[in-house]
Amino acid sequence: MTMLGDRQQLAYIAAQAADARVNVELETEGMTLNIGPQHPATHGTLRIIARLDGEQVVWAEPSAGYMHRGYEKLTEVRTYPQVTALVNRIDWLGSFANEVPFILAAEKLMGVEAPARAQHIRTILFELSRIANVSLFLGDLGVQLGAVTPVFFAFRDREYVLNLIEAATGGRFHPNFDRIGGLKDDLPAGFIDETRMVMKKLRTFCDQIEDLLFGNEIFQSRTRGIGVIPKDVALQYGLSGANLRASGVDWDLRRDQDLPMAWNKADWKVWSHPDGDSFARCWVRLQEVRESTKIVDQLLDTIPAGPVMAKVPKIIKVPEGEAWVSTENPLGEMGYYVVSQGDQGPFRVKIRSASFNNISIVPWVLKGVYVPDIITILASLYFILGDIDR
Amino acid sequence: VFPLSSTDTATEAPRDERRDGEMARITAALGAAVLDSLVKSNDDMWIRVSADAWRTTGETLKSLGYTYFCFLSGIDWLPSPFGKGEDDPTEPTPERDSTIKQGYTGGATRFQVIARVMQPFTSLGVNIKVDIDDSLAIDSWCSVYAGANWHERETHEMFGIGFNGHPDLRNMYLPSDFEGFPLRKDFPLLARIVKPWPGIVDVEPLPGDDEEEGEAS
């Protein structure tokens, strides 16, 4: 205190007095609620700090970073083909989908295009990882809202899809199958028939989930009108995927973007919902799984013949330049901004993952909700920790 | 056969009218703020703006329909003094070129901030770059795109670039007393320094030169 000048000293005393008065006047005390880092609703280790006034949240802040692996730094010491092994682990439930935009960006810089057959198989595997990813979401959603049955269905039926991915790529979770210029291998024998059968099962699964969950009165009353995100807010925060479409934005990068993939060769529909609440987000995802099974079914009929790998040099050197490619991944828009300086490895890779933006809206959307709705909203926003922290 | 398309054919490709038109709209609206611009046909758009106009650039683009905020990050153009982290620790450190060479739309500084915004439905996006001078600070975009909040926090933490007017520039990933900025090129990748990269001991001579095309495997 002796260090302070007179005016500062006066200001300090005044501040102290003001604090003391506030403390006397306060009758109730807020409470801080910690959710996580180890909570089933967090799909990993996200911690949410919520300040409550009674049952209502007045302030909430997610605290990520428990799983930051520094992929952006690591890519700078890897060669291009090595990067796919890293980015595989960003959204670990739909791994193959993570590899595709990176490979497409590298191909764009090199001026290589994968053969038609490879593009077709890529799209099939991409949609299979979406089905594996989102079907787990549909089951998990039930558990978080107190319905135990759906999750068993989800794990059972996801296993069929994982088996298909394993048969084609050799890895259940981390295929590392996509290569610059095509794919590592062709599809195994019997894959097409097996996939058709599994797609039928998955459609039954969707019907079951719709009966069990979406038609359930408790589920509806817990999700309808909860966590409403209007269109313009969703766009500002960069929400993508089903979260954005559930806010009434009919925008799907698979349909509205010109990429060397085979989505435009199938007939399917982009679903959106005008409500913007938790129910809408879940419902849009359910429809997405159905559409994905349709896409896979149609693409299986039309796989073109030919090689699965273009002619590329053994040592891949990518010419100087910058490229941005993003795709509509299971969680939303996933993109890579790749800067090359003509080396064997990238100079800088910015990984734009969907969950990072999707979860940055949490402080906004949790303001004023009741405690049990926190779980509903987090579950319906659907994020994967690896996809936030990267 | 799917040959590599040569890079010089790309420049002869027909102009992309949609993107050219959009770029004309953007440069007209931003005026003198645009220092350089680039349109790659059927690919993407880039602009570089002056640092004073950073916030107004965001506002203008938003009013032009670029309402979707995609990402914001930084680039450190200094070539890494550690190379690929594959140096043999028993050998003296090799001399490395430290000339800074910026990418598309150029630049004058070591650090640049890059952001991308998109028009929903049309899927047209524009990458906006801005030079960061020695003050290492720039206006925040939080008041324009609310989603910039976390991206700016991340950029601040990883590159040490400040954002004037940001409500809360706390670290997201690292402890608050962490020293250094991990994504800067002169920040060593410690894993490669503590233990040499095992790849350096078993390098086999690869068949053929870089020029020679290998078999499609």
Side-chain angles (χ1 to χ4, degrees):
Chain A
M1 285 299 287
T2 50
M3 302 288 286
L4 299 172
D6 282 351
R7 292 187 61 166
Q8 277 171 306
Q9 200 164 347
L10 272 175
Y12 180 80
I13 293 166
Q16 294 256 305
D19 276 357
R21 203 179 61 230
V22 169
N23 285 341
V24 170
E25 277 175 8
L26 275 179
E27 286 172 357
T28 55
E29 214 174 282
M31 178 191 149
T32 308
L33 179 69
N34 246 310
I35 303 169
Q38 304 268 326
H39 188 278
T42 62
H43 288 277
T45 48
L46 179 76
R47 175 174 161 225
I48 299 218
I49 308 148
R51 213 165 283 159
L52 307 181
D53 180 15
E55 275 286 295
Q56 247 173 343
V57 178
V58 287
W59 175 92
E61 172 80 38
S63 155
Y66 290 87
M67 208 176 256
H68 187 244
R69 295 152 291 175
Y71 284 157
E72 286 181 21
K73 185 82 178 171
L74 288 175
T75 53
E76 290 171 12
V77 297
R78 299 283 199 281
T79 64
Y80 283 91
Q82 286 171 346
V83 171
T84 49
L86 294 176
V87 298
N88 240 304
R89 284 147 176 85
I90 292 176
D91 156 21
W92 49 69
L93 293 180
S95 306
F96 184 79
N98 297 328
E99 300 171 16
V100 173
F102 181 79
I103 293 290
L104 289 179
E107 284 178 353
K108 194 193 248 185
L109 282 168
M110 290 177 69
V112 182
E113 192 156 297
R117 186 178 175 86
Q119 292 180 11
H120 236 80
I121 300 174
R122 259 182 203 171
T123 315
I124 291 173
L125 289 172
F126 196 105
E127 290 306 316
L128 284 180
S129 33
R130 180 191 312 279
I131 295 168
N133 185 325
V134 181
S135 61
L136 192 63
F137 160 80
L138 293 171
D140 208 48
L141 183 68
V143 171
Q144 287 171 26
L145 301 180
V148 185
T149 323
V151 78
F152 296 115
F153 288 10
F155 270 100
R156 182 196 66 198
D157 288 337
R158 185 182 73 136
E159 203 58 32
Y160 298 126
V161 184
L162 289 182
N163 286 343
L164 287 177
I165 295 176
E166 189 185 8
T169 68
R172 273 157 51 85
F173 281 104
H174 301 303
N176 200 13
F177 191 63
D178 213 357
R179 297 284 187 273
I180 293 172
L183 291 165
K184 181 177 166 287
D185 252 321
D186 212 330
L187 290 176
F191 181 84
I192 293 177
D193 295 335
E194 186 68 31
T195 310
R196 277 221 185 83
M197 243 161 63
V198 171
M199 289 304 110
K200 229 175 261 166
K201 280 181 189 155
L202 258 296
R203 274 191 288 270
T204 319
F205 162 75
C206 287
D207 296 343
Q208 284 171 331
I209 290 282
E210 188 153 34
D211 278 355
L212 275 170
L213 271 181
F214 289 78
N216 185 308
E217 210 172 304
I218 301 169
F219 177 81
Q220 293 212 3
S221 60
R222 281 203 63 184
T223 51
R224 277 206 193 264
I226 304 293
V228 178
I229 302 175
K231 199 192 244 185
D232 55 325
V233 178
L235 283 167
Q236 258 200 57
Y237 273 94
L239 253 64
S240 49
N243 294 335
L244 186 60
R245 283 191 286 279
S247 295
V249 183
D250 180 27
W251 182 29
D252 192 309
L253 291 168
R254 289 175 287 174
R255 182 195 59 189
D256 301 332
Q257 205 181 206
D258 204 16
L259 281 176
M261 298 282 279
W263 287 302
N264 53 3
K265 297 194 175 67
D267 176 29
W268 53 286
K269 184 174 157 53
V270 176
W271 291 88
S272 59
H273 200 292
D275 285 2
D277 57 3
S278 299
F279 184 85
R281 289 190 279 274
C282 304
W283 183 85
V284 169
R285 286 210 177 80
L286 175 75
Q287 304 305 330
E288 254 183 31
V289 179
R290 285 188 170 141
E291 294 299 325
S292 287
T293 60
K294 272 192 219 164
I295 296 175
V296 172
D297 262 351
Q298 291 173 45
L299 291 184
L300 284 174
D301 292 331
T302 53
I303 301 180
V308 290
M309 192 74 189
K311 233 171 149 43
V312 289
K314 264 217 171 86
I315 299 168
I316 285 172
K317 270 198 178 178
V318 174
E320 255 177 68
E322 297 172 28
W324 162 263
V325 173
S326 65
T327 50
E328 189 73 37
N329 275 39
L331 294 163
E333 183 191 13
M334 166 114 192
Y336 296 88
Y337 192 85
V338 181
V339 181
S340 169
Q341 294 212 331
D343 217 339
Q344 286 184 30
F347 182 78
R348 162 117 174 85
V349 178
K350 161 69 192 169
I351 304 169
R352 191 267 189 215
S353 57
S355 296
F356 187 78
N357 279 43
N358 285 352
I359 242 29
S360 72
I361 202 171
V362 161
W364 185 89
V365 75
L366 285 191
K367 215 169 264 174
V369 305
Y370 290 96
V371 174
D373 296 342
I374 299 176
I375 304 299
T376 314
I377 292 167
L378 287 180
S380 71
L381 276 173
Y382 192 34
F383 53 91
I384 285 175
L385 248 287
D387 203 43
I388 302 175
D389 289 355
R390 304 187 303 283
Chain B
V1 189
F2 299 89
L4 285 165
S5 71
S6 69
T7 41
D8 50 4
T9 52
T11 50
E12 291 159 18
R15 298 298 304 174
D16 183 345
E17 281 168 22
R18 219 160 56 112
R19 287 194 171 79
D20 280 343
E22 266 310 305
M23 185 53 88
R25 262 180 82 211
I26 292 168
T27 42
L30 287 170
V34 180
L35 300 177
D36 203 351
S37 67
L38 174 75
V39 179
K40 289 188 86 187
S41 293
N42 301 318
D43 184 356
D44 227 336
M45 300 188 278
W46 280 266
I47 57 171
R48 185 163 64 91
V49 297
S50 58
D52 318 327
W54 179 241
R55 197 198 303 258
T56 47
T57 303
E59 283 160 3
T60 313
L61 284 170
K62 202 177 172 187
S63 67
L64 287 178
Y66 290 84
T67 46
Y68 175 77
F69 174 78
C70 190
F71 76 85
L72 183 147
S73 188
I75 302 181
D76 179 359
W77 289 105
L78 181 81
S80 169
F82 308 100
K84 292 270 167 198
E86 290 173 354
D87 294 343
D88 190 340
T90 57
E91 303 275 317
T93 326
E95 281 288 310
R96 285 204 172 86
D97 188 15
S98 61
T99 332
I100 293 178
K101 188 172 63 178
Q102 282 89 358
Y104 291 168
T105 67
T109 51
R110 179 182 155 189
F111 292 106
Q112 282 187 327
V113 162
I114 176 166
R116 182 182 170 83
V117 290
M118 284 172 91
Q119 264 180 352
F121 312 116
T122 62
S123 295
L124 285 178
V126 55
N127 303 308
I128 313 119
K129 285 186 181 175
V130 62
D131 289 353
I132 306 292
D133 60 15
D134 293 336
S135 65
L136 282 181
I138 193 142
D139 284 340
S140 163
W141 262 19
C142 282
S143 53
V144 190
Y145 295 99
N149 186 327
W150 278 28
H151 290 258
E152 287 177 353
R153 268 173 77 184
E154 197 188 14
T155 312
H156 173 74
E157 178 177 8
M158 293 295 168
F159 289 94
I161 296 169
F163 290 91
N164 304 327
H166 189 286
D168 182 16
L169 273 177
R170 269 177 306 131
N171 279 2
M172 295 192 79
Y173 306 122
L174 301 164
S176 52
D177 54 354
F178 188 87
E179 281 179 24
F181 303 103
L183 275 179
R184 285 191 184 180
K185 291 281 181 180
D186 51 10
F187 187 92
L189 183 61
L190 288 171
R192 285 279 171 101
I193 283 171
V194 175
K195 190 167 178 277
W197 176 238
I200 59 171
V201 294
D202 53 32
V203 176
E204 288 169 26
L206 283 155
D209 291 326
D210 296 353
E211 318 299 325
E212 195 186 316
E213 284 188 10
E215 294 279 311
S217 49

